[in-house]
Amino acid sequence: MERVKTMAEIKYNLGSGGVPLAGYINLDRSQGQDAYPLACDDGTADEIRASHLLEHFSHRDVMAVLKNWASKLKPGGT
């Protein structure tokens, strides 16, 4: 039996710039939105996409950024 979704997936596109993606919450600093710390509750996101963004953080901060993003994912999130 196929599982029926009752709620929309919560998907973030961090650092979206001028390329917002349909179906995602698109966040970009140029729009006054910060990707870190990600302002959502822990365990609520189905997917977090951050293409060409991590290199904008100091190497000292990378682990904290990744831990913050990972904490926002639901179990089994991407």
Side-chain angles (χ1 to χ4, degrees):
M1 176 182 281
E2 188 174 326
R3 187 174 150 208
V4 178
K5 290 184 182 178
T6 57
M7 297 176 62
E9 287 186 331
I10 298 173
K11 302 188 305 185
Y12 290 92
N13 178 25
L14 306 181
S16 61
V19 188
L21 298 176
Y24 285 78
I25 298 167
N26 295 284
L27 302 176
D28 194 85
R29 178 166 266 180
S30 69
Q31 303 296 320
Q33 304 151 329
D34 287 323
Y36 175 74
L38 188 56
C40 67
D41 292 334
D42 287 355
T44 59
D46 294 285
E47 181 179 336
I48 297 175
R49 181 181 192 280
S51 182
H52 302 286
L53 180 62
L54 201 55
E55 66 269 21
H56 295 281
F57 293 95
S58 164
H59 70 279
R60 291 180 187 98
D61 296 330
V62 168
M63 287 305 295
V65 171
L66 291 173
K67 285 179 182 180
N68 175 257
W69 292 345
S71 75
K72 305 306 176 180
L73 291 170
K74 291 178 181 177
T78 303

